[in-house]
Amino acid sequence: MEAIKAAELNPKFRDEVAGLLKNYDFTNCLACGMCTAGCPYSDIHENQDPRKFLRKVLLGMKEEVFSDPYIWYCTMCERCTIECPMNVNIAALVRSLRGTWDKDKIPGYLQTIAEEHKESGNQMNVDQVDYEETLEWIEEELQEELGDPNYKIPLNKEGAQYFYGFNARDIKYYPNELQTTLKIFYAAGIDYTISTKRWDATNIALFTGQNDDFVEISKPVWEEFVRLGCKEFIVTECGHAFRSMRWGYRTFWDGKEFPIRHILELLNDLVKEGKLKLDPDAITEVVTYHDPCNTARKEGVWEAPRELIRSFVKNFVDMNPNGRMNYCCGAGGGGMAMPEFNDIRKAKGKRKVDQVVATGAEIVIVPCHNCIDQFNDLNKWYEEKAKSKNMHMCTLMERALIMPEKEEA
């Protein structure tokens, strides 16, 4: 181990970081190592030790901090924080430090996504014509599937109960996923709307730490919700989108107050209220559930999804650990958008593969677009993982969905 020279330490660096964190006190670290013990990846690859990284910050080793790959290797999953006896939030520290980087030096294509989102209004850079044509295509498909030629996607409906914000991947790559969700909304008969102006709930600046980008991306979505006068903001199956909307709302929004809820919480309530009916005999496979860090650990949503699963899945086997204690899939913190670190992402993913294999699951419910891309990569990288199929909750629910009987004219 190299000697640390006191003359090279920057005693002001700790105050600089405290200023970035709005004077949040991260200095009460005991150096006990519980954060490193709690990190699922501290023994998977090099430069993944939260305790060492935090000590560098506290000692004023500014140059070493910004040259440490940990700053981008960290998935910001916060599992280290729940193990910390002093509740030091290392993920918040990492995000704040990332936010000091020059935007043209941010790794991968994280900043490219942010710039395109600011320009087009969505992270996939889908232009308005393609967006509206995709919605028209989904509408036509649903008219045929539902046997209802009068079916219309409720666009820009003022005063709707629910405003639905989703992931741009559902337009560019997975329109069938959006179609499935809207079919479930139809079966439940809920009052909702989709905006043609602002609809993408994701925000890549959640990972880059660039707060000016974050506000520019998310504020128009909150403003659109208020403009339409909806009652509740419902976010799709995407931990990144859900966290962006909820954390960003708490941190940056100073307008009219409104509730933001995850779609799985809504669907669970609809089942309990009898508005959605699911066949308990339709799913025969062994099923497990992945907790996205941004949904479960950071925003506290892990019980409602399991209640929903048990309402229609007979053979549900939970991962160990699960819920608040579950492991990150390995692609968090913007990992999917930094291909130069794919070997690190693959190594991290082995921990999740072992979790899944231990359940014997044939189906893994992955309620997050970012996570499901990682899970699909894990199926390619690890033969043992390829035996299980990954899908969103709504996709599995569709297999068990009992459509309401049509009223006779």
Side-chain angles (χ1 to χ4, degrees):
M1 178 179 176
E2 296 183 8
I4 299 175
K5 298 180 180 179
E8 297 178 357
L9 303 181
N10 183 344
K12 295 182 180 180
F13 183 51
R14 184 189 305 197
D15 293 334
E16 291 177 20
V17 176
L20 295 174
L21 291 165
K22 297 183 179 179
N23 295 317
Y24 164 76
D25 187 6
F26 62 94
T27 64
N28 52 4
C29 169
L30 302 176
C32 65
M34 285 299 294
C35 55
T36 300
C39 176
Y41 309 123
S42 60
D43 61 342
I44 294 294
H45 60 81
E46 293 181 345
N47 301 304
Q48 187 65 39
D49 189 328
R51 186 184 73 90
K52 286 183 179 180
F53 184 75
L54 182 57
R55 298 314 295 175
K56 289 179 181 180
V57 175
L58 294 173
L59 288 170
M61 301 172 68
K62 186 173 183 177
E63 183 176 341
E64 288 81 356
V65 166
F66 284 106
S67 62
D68 193 330
Y70 179 88
I71 206 169
W72 296 104
Y73 286 176
C74 176
T75 62
M76 300 160 65
C77 77
E78 293 191 12
R79 199 174 191 281
C80 56
T81 298
I82 63 174
E83 299 287 1
C84 175
M86 305 307 291
N87 200 36
V88 176
N89 193 321
I90 294 178
L93 173 68
V94 166
R95 184 183 183 276
S96 294
L97 291 171
R98 288 182 178 188
T100 67
W101 280 52
D102 292 337
K103 293 183 181 182
D104 60 352
K105 295 181 180 178
I106 293 174
Y109 45 89
L110 287 164
Q111 193 58 36
T112 299
I113 295 172
E115 297 302 329
E116 290 180 347
H117 199 150
K118 289 188 291 184
E119 179 68 25
S120 66
N122 66 87
Q123 69 158 327
M124 291 287 121
N125 205 26
V126 177
D127 67 38
Q128 188 67 18
V129 172
D130 286 345
Y131 173 59
E132 294 187 13
E133 286 184 349
T134 301
L135 290 180
E136 290 175 6
W137 173 82
I138 292 173
E139 184 174 88
E140 291 170 359
E141 289 290 309
L142 281 171
Q143 286 173 350
E144 182 175 351
E145 183 179 358
L146 299 170
D148 183 355
N150 297 316
Y151 170 80
K152 294 290 182 183
I153 298 175
L155 301 177
N156 307 312
K157 181 181 177 182
E158 296 184 8
Q161 177 68 34
Y162 305 114
F163 177 102
Y164 185 50
F166 48 101
N167 189 308
R169 284 183 177 92
D170 281 349
I171 293 295
K172 190 164 186 175
Y173 298 119
Y174 312 122
N176 58 306
E177 298 279 358
L178 180 56
Q179 180 177 330
T180 296
T181 302
L182 299 189
K183 178 181 177 180
I184 292 173
F185 286 174
Y186 175 91
I190 66 171
D191 176 26
Y192 76 98
T193 192
I194 287 175
S195 171
T196 57
K197 184 178 179 181
R198 285 286 182 165
W199 45 275
D200 188 352
T202 67
N203 192 330
I204 203 70
L206 181 70
F207 306 133
T208 65
Q210 305 290 331
N211 288 336
D212 57 338
D213 288 343
F214 192 99
V215 173
E216 187 173 348
I217 288 170
S218 287
K219 188 175 181 180
V221 185
W222 300 320
E223 290 175 337
E224 178 66 356
F225 174 92
V226 173
R227 185 187 73 82
L228 290 175
C230 300
K231 308 297 188 301
E232 187 172 10
F233 196 122
I234 300 298
V235 183
T236 188
E237 292 185 61
C238 179
H240 160 204
F242 185 53
R243 173 69 169 173
S244 295
M245 286 291 100
R246 284 255 289 241
W247 174 81
Y249 169 88
R250 294 192 300 265
T251 307
F252 300 111
W253 179 246
D254 58 1
K256 179 182 178 181
E257 293 185 4
F258 56 87
I260 301 174
R261 195 156 49 127
H262 195 277
I263 187 174
L264 297 189
E265 295 177 291
L266 171 63
L267 296 179
N268 185 48
D269 284 347
L270 293 173
V271 169
K272 291 194 293 185
E273 294 165 5
K275 295 178 181 178
L276 266 181
K277 299 187 183 301
L278 303 173
D279 182 356
D281 297 316
I283 310 300
T284 58
E285 298 96 329
V286 177
V287 176
T288 193
Y289 176 82
H290 166 68
D291 288 283
C293 304
N294 283 309
T295 303
R297 187 153 38 248
K298 295 185 181 182
E299 292 297 335
V301 178
W302 65 80
E303 294 178 353
R306 286 170 170 78
E307 189 173 10
L308 175 59
I309 292 168
R310 292 188 175 98
S311 72
F312 73 103
V313 174
K314 288 184 174 180
N315 300 312
F316 173 62
V317 180
D318 227 333
M319 294 188 205
N320 182 31
N322 60 69
R324 181 170 179 258
M325 302 298 291
N326 199 13
Y327 297 150
C328 170
C329 68
M336 290 296 299
M338 295 184 283
E340 60 266 52
F341 302 143
N342 275 353
D343 57 334
I344 299 297
R345 181 163 63 88
K346 179 180 178 180
K348 283 181 164 76
K350 184 59 166 64
R351 190 71 86 200
K352 179 58 62 174
V353 168
D354 292 342
Q355 266 197 305
V356 172
V357 171
T359 68
E362 299 164 84
I363 294 174
V364 186
I365 300 173
V366 188
C368 175
H369 290 71
N370 186 73
C371 295
I372 206 166
D373 284 348
Q374 168 77 341
F375 271 70
N376 288 336
D377 279 348
L378 295 178
N379 276 30
K380 300 172 188 175
W381 291 335
Y382 297 101
E383 182 179 352
E384 61 269 40
K385 174 65 184 69
K387 297 176 182 179
S388 59
K389 185 177 181 180
N390 314 308
M391 61 177 64
H392 289 312
M393 182 81 79
C394 286
T395 303
L396 188 61
M397 287 179 66
E398 185 184 24
R399 284 179 46 187
L401 185 62
I402 299 173
M403 297 298 293
E405 295 183 6
K406 295 180 182 179
E407 295 183 4
E408 295 294 334

